[in-house]
Amino acid sequence: MPDSQPQPPPPPSSSPGAADASSLLLCGARLTDGRTVDVRLGGGRIEAVGTAGSLAAGGTRACGARVDLSGYLLLPAPAEPHAHADTALSADAGGPVSYEPQDVQRRATEAALLQLGHGATAVRAHVRVGDVQGLGALAAVLQARRALRGLAELTTVAMPRVLTGVAGADGLAVLRDAVKMGASVVGGRPDLDPDPAGYVEAVLEVASEHGCPVDLHTDAGDPARLARLAAMAGGLRPGVTLSPCGDLGRLPSEVASRTADQLAAAGVAVVCLPQGGCGGVDRRGAAPVRLLRAAGVRVAAGSGALRDVSNPVGRGDPLEAAFLLASRYGLAPEEAYDTVSSSARAVLGLPEVRVEAGFPAELLAVRGDRLAGALSLAYSRVVVHRGRVVARTSAVREYCSSAASVELGLPRQGRGEVS
């Protein structure tokens, strides 16, 4: 696929005379249960799902625009629960990361479009506040959010460095200012504070004051610290999320199991990063997703760093995260995809999506007819946000002509000789 900066896609092709521009008919899509269906969208929601051809009986005027999804698997769209918009796409800068507002806004916008092209119609971005950045990086990401309205939903997590002691007073003031400015989630890295428990207490206090969710970075290598966090977070609404918790899998099995039970009882969610780590935490592998899920912890998967110094080859692709959970960590394809779709949306506080009438029209069509194959070879994609096609990726593989393809009847793409 080309490496050029992503551009907004053209509108879906439609027949002349379509009467309702807000109506969209997805034709001939395959569902994970094997059915081939038409799906009619309107007003940002799924209006109807019927057998292939059944919703087109009224003609184009009744259906509005159409998109042919023959050969595609239709899924609830992924969501990205853990991105770093302020440092994304900075690995090739050749020096310190620029926090000039214009640079941050450009990188954040391009990163969100890249992730949208992969299928993520909602992104939660962690942004550092205080220290050198002040509130400038946050302001730039919020500006990117406004520019992306209608294409993708970008929400921000304010991440102060220190919140305790004399130095922490400034950090706490900046955190409160960040929430007033528009950060919708309170976060940070308690492991880097001289008093991690005090840091968590301060974050929870600010979150409680403003009714915000909490999303904290931690390696989760200290079970006693996690137990205290779970005790403090229990019952807080709208909820607490931890990530990436890679060290939890290095604890003795009985300790890890007890910790997972404590997190589940407190309603704390975990976002793992199977594609690699991110700034502020060590890259030590993904959290033990099977253990956490067995304990009843809601587990989502995020992409983490997108081509910054923490992971200079990060792709920001939710389907790659699901692929890795299935291929490396033993989840079934359906379970793996749940971590980047339904569970990720739940962590972000977004409504559930199903390919059924009445649900939000947040959808991803991937070339293929089975989920396992789609996770393996998810090249061509069509992304729907609020009932509108907002991104397309098309991949064509061409082969030279060969006797083997003719004799064996192998499927082929392309034509003639490859030049």
Side-chain angles (χ1 to χ4, degrees), residues 242-259:
L242 301 180
S243 58
C245 300
D247 278 358
L248 189 57
R250 296 173 178 266
L251 298 175
S253 58
E254 65 277 9
V255 176
S257 295
R258 183 168 61 250
T259 302

Side-chain angles (χ1 to χ4, degrees), residues 160-372:
R161 181 174 178 82
V162 178
L163 291 180
T164 66
V166 176
D170 289 340
L172 196 55
V174 168
L175 180 59
R176 287 193 165 94
D177 287 342
V179 175
K180 294 175 184 176
M181 180 183 288
S184 53
V185 185
V186 181
R189 297 166 288 178
D191 296 353
L192 301 183
D193 192 282
D195 179 6
Y199 188 107
V200 171
E201 186 175 355
V203 165
L204 294 176
E205 180 181 345
V206 173
S208 181
E209 289 173 2
H210 296 274
C212 295
V214 170
D215 197 330
L216 295 169
H217 283 58
T218 179
D219 282 325
D222 186 334
R225 186 180 299 169
L226 280 179
R228 289 195 296 272
L229 189 154
M232 288 188 286
L236 180 72
R237 295 293 178 266
V240 176
T241 301
L242 301 180
S243 58
C245 300
D247 278 358
L248 189 57
R250 296 173 178 266
L251 298 175
S253 58
E254 65 277 9
V255 176
S257 295
R258 183 168 61 250
T259 302
D261 290 339
Q262 292 167 339
L263 295 176
V268 175
V270 170
V271 174
C272 64
L273 303 178
Q275 293 163 292
C278 59
V281 293
D282 293 333
R283 297 182 60 188
R284 299 183 182 178
V289 291
R290 296 178 68 183
L291 171 71
L292 290 166
R293 285 169 59 92
V297 177
R298 183 177 293 280
V299 179
S303 299
L306 199 170
R307 285 173 22 210
D308 65 17
V309 294
S310 298
N311 187 358
V313 296
R315 295 180 182 176
D317 185 352
L319 267 63
E320 184 183 45
F323 159 79
L324 290 170
L325 289 177
S327 65
R328 184 179 298 174
Y329 297 99
L331 267 62
E334 295 75 15
E335 294 172 330
Y337 191 73
D338 173 84
T339 67
V340 300
S341 57
S342 296
S343 289
R345 289 184 64 85
V347 165
L348 299 184
L350 298 172
E352 182 182 11
V353 173
R354 299 182 192 170
V355 188
E356 299 176 13
F359 285 87
E362 303 289 321
L363 303 168
L364 171 64
V366 184
R367 175 73 70 177
D369 60 0
R370 294 288 187 275
L371 185 56

